[in-house]
Amino acid sequence: MNENKLAIMNTAKMKNLLNNLEKVLDGNVLVYFGGIDEGIEIHIKDMIEQIAKSKFKKDKLFVILTTNGGSLGPVQRMMTVFRHHYKEVNFIVPDYAYSAGTVFCMGGDNILMNYYSILGPIDPQVKNKEGHYVAALGYLDKINELLDKANNNTLSNAEFVILKDFDLAELRLYEQAKELNIDILTKWLCSYKFKTWTTHKNGTPVTPDERKKRAEEIAGKLSDNKIWKTHGRPIDINMLRNDLKLKIEDYGTIPVVGDAIDEYYKFAIEYMKNNKYTTYFQTRFFI
């Protein structure tokens, strides 16, 4: 079999596997694999609008997300697109969704993971004055460490030079990015993930203030480097459930759903590898 014919067959299989997922999930599916970069949101908007105008439009959207993170701006705009067209938005994480990807997931009505899936701390990626993305929390932690040393008169001369030369405007940018992450995550949890949390286990009603307080606790923990130590710390389903008290759906316990997701994702990884894709999007109309 020649390479061109094999490529056509593999593409057809990718389409069939995604169409099967839509039947199993009873919703539309968007596959997002890659970084969350500025400008990507317009392409996602076009894909979603193409589905929305078709006879295949459903009330629910499932986003299969695999990402190392990126910028929060596109996350906000893509969520606006999703919420404009769908009554329910759910995220499926077969592998990993870090940083801005974690924030993205927290905007879902439901998050579906299995024992292997991981999220990460919400460490905002911010462009420094050289134009490179950097993890904001690392800078903030280091500055706070140096300030503590200065207050205790234990600051070395080399550390004094670092602290003196640090750009205060850049520092404020990192602080604002952290605050924005927490604000967005808190708002989304209250609006979507917690909207069905109406009663406590003892039967008493859950108040809006209680929802907000719980959301702020989760956002605060996810953005606390003292807990996670590193930007890339994996947070699995058990940690999310037990440490953060978040309701996460384990799709591995639902055979039909789990099998459909696993079959699709395994073949998708091979498809991307064979085509040397580092970024990949798919809907029933786009591949």
Side-chain angles (χ1 to χ4, degrees):
M1 185 181 298
N2 63 48
E3 291 186 5
N4 187 50
K5 187 174 182 180
L6 180 61
I8 293 172
M9 289 178 62
N10 286 340
T11 298
K13 184 171 181 179
M14 287 295 294
K15 291 179 179 178
N16 289 334
L17 288 172
L18 185 133
N19 289 345
N20 180 59
L21 256 183
E22 290 201 331
K23 290 178 183 177
V24 169
L25 295 169
D26 190 26
N28 295 131
V29 173
L30 165 70
V31 180
Y32 191 121
F33 192 112
I36 303 175
D37 301 319
E38 297 287 346
I40 198 65
E41 61 270 26
I42 188 65
H43 302 293
I44 299 300
K45 172 179 174 288
D46 291 343
M47 292 179 210
I48 294 298
E49 287 182 347
Q50 188 177 22
I51 300 171
K53 294 174 183 177
S54 77
K55 65 180 181 180
F56 300 101
K57 168 71 167 57
K58 301 282 189 178
D59 289 335
K60 295 184 288 187
L61 174 69
F62 290 84
V63 182
I64 300 178
L65 181 65
T66 304
T67 182
N68 279 316
S71 176
L72 193 58
V75 167
Q76 292 177 270
R77 300 200 72 185
M78 287 187 284
M79 187 59 70
T80 298
V81 172
F82 298 163
R83 291 294 172 184
H84 179 78
H85 291 287
Y86 290 94
K87 294 179 180 178
E88 181 179 314
V89 178
N90 305 299
F91 284 83
I92 300 173
V93 183
D95 196 349
Y96 59 89
Y98 286 115
S99 195
T102 298
V103 178
F104 211 1
C105 290
M106 295 298 161
D109 295 275
N110 298 287
I111 303 171
L112 290 78
M113 302 170 64
N114 68 4
Y115 76 94
Y116 183 71
S117 312
I118 53 173
L119 301 182
I122 55 169
D123 190 352
Q125 304 296 290
V126 181
K127 278 188 179 180
N128 61 15
K129 53 189 175 184
E130 285 80 32
H132 303 300
Y133 279 106
V134 297
L137 294 185
Y139 277 87
L140 292 176
D141 287 346
K142 190 61 181 179
I143 290 298
N144 287 330
E145 177 189 325
L146 295 178
L147 288 173
D148 287 340
K149 286 188 174 183
N151 290 332
N152 295 325
N153 295 317
T154 59
L155 194 69
S156 70
N157 289 334
E159 289 171 331
F160 172 76
V161 172
I162 294 173
L163 187 59
K164 180 177 69 69
D165 290 345
F166 200 87
D167 189 331
L168 292 179
E170 194 170 341
L171 177 62
R172 181 56 186 147
L173 183 65
Y174 298 154
E175 290 173 337
Q176 289 172 330
K178 177 183 178 180
E179 292 164 3
L180 180 61
N181 263 3
I182 292 174
D183 286 348
I184 290 173
L185 196 149
T186 299
K187 178 182 176 182
W188 284 353
L189 282 176
C190 289
S191 299
Y192 308 119
K193 192 85 176 69
F194 291 171
K195 70 180 181 182
T196 58
W197 181 35
T198 56
T199 57
H200 293 287
K201 290 182 179 179
N202 62 7
T204 60
V206 176
T207 67
D209 285 344
E210 287 174 325
R211 288 193 195 92
K212 184 178 180 182
K213 182 180 178 182
R214 186 76 195 91
E216 288 173 342
E217 289 174 356
I218 292 169
K221 284 185 176 180
L222 284 173
S223 61
D224 189 347
N225 261 4
K226 294 183 179 66
I227 297 175
W228 312 111
K229 311 300 182 186
T230 175
H231 171 74
R233 173 75 178 273
I235 306 174
D236 64 22
I237 189 170
N238 290 323
M239 296 172 75
L240 291 165
R241 285 173 164 178
N242 299 327
D243 298 345
L244 297 179
K245 308 300 180 187
L246 263 174
K247 183 180 178 183
I248 306 293
E249 305 295 333
D250 184 353
Y251 69 75
T253 64
I254 313 170
V256 175
V257 174
D259 290 347
I261 292 172
D262 288 344
E263 184 182 11
Y264 171 85
Y265 198 71
K266 286 176 184 176
F267 194 79
I269 294 298
E270 285 300 311
Y271 184 81
M272 286 182 274
K273 180 181 177 181
N274 292 337
N275 287 283
K276 298 179 181 179
Y277 295 151
T278 56
T279 300
Y280 179 78
F281 306 111
Q282 187 183 354
T283 67
R284 66 164 36 249
F285 295 119
F286 182 91
I287 186 171

